[in-house]
Amino acid sequence: MTTHDGVLPADLFMDLDRSGPMPLYFQVSSRIESAITSGELPAGSRLENEVALGERLGLSRPTIRRAIQELVDKGLLVRRRGIGTQVVHGPVSRKVELTSLFDDLKAGDQHPTTRVLAHDVIPADERIAEDLGIAVGDDVTHIRRLRLADEVPVALLENYLPTAVADLSEEDFETFGLYQLLRGRGVTMRVAKQRIGARASHGDEAALLEIEEHGAVLTMSRTAYDASGRAVEVGYHCYRPDLYSFSITLVEK
């Protein structure tokens, strides 16, 4: 068995075929993937660095680097600044439905946690006022959160709420998803306008999401409305593209 420090068992690589047609990087990648999918390498485990693993297996660093990159591209491993290479539960594939990321992560058997970065009352600017259907300068509650799945940052969530549903504490936002909190206060979301896109990260986004500076992020903006047609929240979010995707079902008419 492995530990959370990620020292892979030697017998995992005992049958590497060093002279056959199968590339060594692929053999190493496949064995690590098997250890992840079987649970031998659980989410949160850290792998030893490429140099140490290469020396232990008698393989070159480029071979190990390519094997690791295969699993990073599949969303099974993630490279984290100051931590190293870490096992993640798997990429989040989210259907474009009126649900929250918190709910989607729990439904996918991933462990969501939240770090509240901002929680304050601010005057609405033109964009927020238009989206919420209020006057410019009206007070709104502003929340900015970093959402993690199995301790790996996945998304930066920025929301604006009218003061009618703003009696929520920072502790509430650390413990529950936004839609769960709104439902608990009798607010029922019926419809939403949503836009999905992509752009380069800016500000502190790259550092918080642990991606390369100016690296690409997926974006989603949403305004949700209740049964009476009143806007109850506006969100401007960005997501790590290596760990997150949107899923849409298309039907021919």
Side-chain angles (χ1 to χ4, degrees):
M1 290 294 291
T2 62
T3 69
H4 285 287
D5 292 328
V7 178
L8 295 163
D11 59 2
L12 189 65
F13 304 101
M14 284 183 62
D15 61 344
L16 289 178
D17 184 354
R18 298 172 185 267
S19 59
M22 187 73 69
L24 283 168
Y25 81 85
F26 182 80
Q27 295 182 56
V28 173
S29 175
S30 297
R31 283 156 177 74
I32 296 175
E33 182 174 354
S34 295
I36 294 171
T37 55
S38 70
E40 190 174 5
L41 264 180
S45 298
R46 293 192 302 272
L47 266 64
E48 57 197 300
N49 64 55
E50 295 171 356
V51 173
L53 182 58
E55 289 179 351
R56 193 157 65 86
L57 300 182
L59 297 173
S60 68
R61 186 175 182 181
T63 295
I64 299 298
R65 184 185 301 120
R66 184 166 181 183
I68 297 300
Q69 188 61 48
E70 290 282 313
L71 299 174
V72 170
D73 292 342
K74 289 183 177 182
L76 297 174
L77 295 177
V78 63
R79 291 187 171 101
R80 300 185 63 186
R81 294 179 182 176
I83 295 177
T85 303
Q86 189 172 19
V87 178
V88 293
H89 192 285
V92 181
S93 180
R94 182 178 182 184
K95 293 182 179 180
V96 181
E97 298 175 342
L98 191 47
T99 59
S100 72
L101 176 58
F102 187 92
D103 294 337
D104 292 339
L105 289 172
K106 291 196 73 173
D109 294 326
Q110 301 194 48
H111 178 60
T113 53
T114 304
R115 188 188 310 164
V116 177
L117 306 174
H119 181 208
D120 47 18
V121 176
I122 62 172
D125 61 20
E126 289 186 8
R127 179 179 69 160
I128 298 166
E130 180 178 356
D131 287 344
L132 281 177
I134 59 177
V136 174
D138 282 358
D139 284 346
V140 293
T141 297
H142 166 235
I143 310 107
R144 188 172 188 242
R145 297 161 292 159
L146 178 66
R147 177 63 45 75
L148 302 95
D150 296 320
E151 301 182 358
V152 177
V154 174
L156 273 170
L157 313 172
E158 193 152 19
N159 292 86
Y160 300 86
L161 309 172
T163 53
V165 292
D167 59 329
L168 300 167
S169 69
E170 185 169 318
E171 184 178 357
D172 289 331
F173 289 110
E174 290 176 343
T175 308
F176 304 101
L178 175 59
Y179 283 10
Q180 185 178 4
L181 291 169
L182 292 178
R183 289 192 297 266
R185 282 156 175 74
V187 177
T188 302
M189 282 69 68
R190 292 297 186 190
V191 67
K193 295 179 180 178
Q194 182 165 286
R195 179 182 296 238
I196 299 169
R199 60 170 171 78
S201 59
H202 54 68
D204 61 355
E205 292 172 346
L208 289 169
L209 291 173
E210 298 182 3
I211 60 176
E212 293 184 0
E213 188 174 0
H214 307 304
V217 292
L218 294 174
T219 63
M220 187 269 284
S221 60
R222 174 190 284 181
T223 304
Y225 303 85
D226 64 14
S228 69
R230 176 185 60 141
V232 294
E233 69 97 5
V234 172
Y236 309 109
H237 308 326
C238 64
Y239 306 83
R240 285 183 57 151
D242 60 333
L243 296 178
Y244 193 89
S245 66
F246 294 100
S247 175
I248 303 172
T249 299
L250 303 177
V251 178
E252 184 180 12
K253 291 185 177 180

